[in-house]
Amino acid sequence: MMRTRPLKVALLGCGVVGSEVARIMTTHAGDLAARIGAPVELAGIAVRRPSKVREGIDPALITTDATALVKRGDIDVVVEVIGGIEPARTLITTAFEHGASVVSANKALLATDGTTLYDAAARHGRDLYFEAAVAGAIPLIRPLRESLAGDTVNRVLGIVNGTTNFILDRMDSAGAGYSEALDEATALGYAEADPTADVEGFDAAAKAAILAGIAFHTRVRLDDVHREGISEVTSADLASAQRMGCTVKLLAICERAADGRSVTARVHPAMIPLSHPLASVREAYNAVFVEAENAGQLMFYGPGAGGAPTASAVLGDLVAVCRNKLSEARGPGESAYTQLPVGSMGEAVTRYHISLDVADKPGVLAQVATVFAEHGVSIDTVRQKGKDGEASLVVVTHRAPDAALSATVAALRELDTVRGVASIMRVEGE
């Protein structure tokens, strides 16, 4: 039997995502009530600019006093889609204190100080759900937290930023330069006026921290994630990848060490073989590849951003939290029991694709090979081309600790026969 008294929802933020949340709550109210077992009522919407026209939203719901809204005492669920660290953190913890559970899409806050939120939720017996914080509409957080809770996840490898994927896809498929592809992404609305968070990897790094923490049951913060963006990727890098039967993607990579005693989390551009499932992820789409001990290889794919897709994930969490509220149950909280240390980038095991400008004379290849051997790095393939006293040497390594590979490159720069290092890129997904 359906409960007649509605569950009250407070919405913090009414931008691209928040307005879609409000719209879906209104247009699908009957379906949501049937799925939850009680009606849900939008009780208030906190915004910064109350004078802005918001089509389809009752102006009586609008307030600029977010603190008063979450302190009302009759709010069952707070949906936070304002982003940033403050005032979001204070508003969320205040909501817990006043009896509300929280649904959030705030990747930056969860990656920077998720522990504070988890602890506050546990202390007050509330739910904290955040499916929309990573990969938009793609169901990913709940499968990792719940469906794979009985398994051991060893690796999470994914494209988690649609802007950078669109740019790299245009560079690869249309031969566009970085600036040209960025301009196109901006014109289409995929890139912000200031694209730094996307193209320099900050957005992806926040998502990697969240994924690593859930996958490995340990605390991983944004500062623990090695981060490189795509602004230095060139058309020549894409051409080199194509010659290898690869493409270039900005990847978030979270790995458990081979001995199981530590984890690493990193974001950087990398070449991946065209045969890998992630290579076919085009335009602004996201995809995450999960490798688990018993489940094997799983791939999650779909739109990673946008108002309606992200709102879909928010509403999925809202339904789950409301069901918990009715049954007086709680969903999963933080699982950090392993307390695994987070290793540095130097401990990550990867491969390098290195392009060298060298003198075209006998013995150069032997010198280069010796440097690799001295640093314990095995060479997979070498391609050499020379003319008129100048030559290029392209070396692809086998997997080795990143610190050893970096030291190898530094030593190569010291050789008299090496005129310069044209490009370096990691190779993943083999």
Side-chain angles (χ1 to χ4, degrees), residues 278-300:
L278 291 178
S280 62
V281 178
R282 308 294 300 274
E283 298 192 336
Y285 277 75
N286 284 193
V288 177
F289 202 71
V290 177
E291 299 175 10
E293 193 170 288
N294 299 299
Q297 297 178 331
L298 309 169
M299 183 168 165
F300 301 84

Side-chain angles (χ1 to χ4, degrees), residues 323-377:
R323 286 172 174 170
N324 290 345
K325 197 87 173 180
L326 290 179
S327 62
E328 299 182 344
R330 282 191 63 208
E334 183 183 29
S335 176
Y337 72 92
T338 64
Q339 299 182 8
L340 294 173
V342 183
S344 68
M345 182 63 198
E347 298 173 51
V349 178
T350 184
R351 301 170 67 200
Y352 271 21
H353 172 283
I354 308 167
S355 181
L356 304 171
D357 295 327
V358 299
D360 186 15
K361 63 182 183 181
V364 172
L365 181 56
Q367 283 186 324
V368 169
T370 297
V371 170
F372 279 90
E374 288 173 348
H375 289 84
V377 176

Side-chain angles (χ1 to χ4, degrees), residues 163-377:
T163 301
T164 52
N165 199 57
F166 178 87
I167 292 170
L168 293 173
D169 182 47
R170 295 300 292 162
M171 292 175 71
D172 184 46
S173 62
Y178 170 77
S179 296
E180 180 185 353
L182 175 57
D183 288 344
E184 185 176 355
T186 303
L188 291 171
Y190 294 135
E192 301 287 346
D194 179 1
T196 303
D198 292 322
V199 300
E200 296 303 337
F202 291 99
D203 175 82
K207 295 169 182 176
I210 295 169
L211 291 175
I214 296 170
F216 307 133
H217 303 277
T218 197
R219 288 180 173 174
V220 181
R221 292 169 53 89
L222 180 58
D223 290 345
D224 296 322
V225 181
H226 174 84
R227 176 193 54 79
E228 298 173 30
I230 66 166
S231 58
E232 301 300 319
V233 176
T234 65
S235 299
D237 292 326
L238 271 297
S240 294
Q242 290 171 355
R243 285 192 291 270
M244 287 180 60
C246 293
T247 189
V248 176
K249 300 292 186 182
L250 182 72
L251 298 179
I253 305 168
C254 312
E255 293 180 306
R256 189 188 299 269
D259 62 8
R261 296 180 180 177
S262 65
V263 299
T264 55
R266 49 195 166 103
V267 167
H268 54 72
M271 296 179 180
I272 57 172
L274 294 176
S275 58
H276 194 280
L278 291 178
S280 62
V281 178
R282 308 294 300 274
E283 298 192 336
Y285 277 75
N286 284 193
V288 177
F289 202 71
V290 177
E291 299 175 10
E293 193 170 288
N294 299 299
Q297 297 178 331
L298 309 169
M299 183 168 165
F300 301 84
Y301 169 84
T310 305
S312 171
V314 170
L315 268 295
D317 279 350
L318 179 63
V319 169
V321 170
C322 287
R323 286 172 174 170
N324 290 345
K325 197 87 173 180
L326 290 179
S327 62
E328 299 182 344
R330 282 191 63 208
E334 183 183 29
S335 176
Y337 72 92
T338 64
Q339 299 182 8
L340 294 173
V342 183
S344 68
M345 182 63 198
E347 298 173 51
V349 178
T350 184
R351 301 170 67 200
Y352 271 21
H353 172 283
I354 308 167
S355 181
L356 304 171
D357 295 327
V358 299
D360 186 15
K361 63 182 183 181
V364 172
L365 181 56
Q367 283 186 324
V368 169
T370 297
V371 170
F372 279 90
E374 288 173 348
H375 289 84
V377 176

Side-chain angles (χ1 to χ4, degrees), residues 142-153:
R142 196 169 295 133
L144 283 173
R145 290 175 94 182
E146 300 178 36
S147 303
L148 293 173
D151 208 336
T152 299
V153 175

Side-chain angles (χ1 to χ4, degrees), residues 355-359 364 390-393 416-423:
S355 181
L356 304 171
D357 295 327
V358 299
V364 172
E390 298 295 330
S392 63
L393 195 63
D416 292 338
T417 51
V418 174
R419 306 290 170 77
V421 179
S423 69

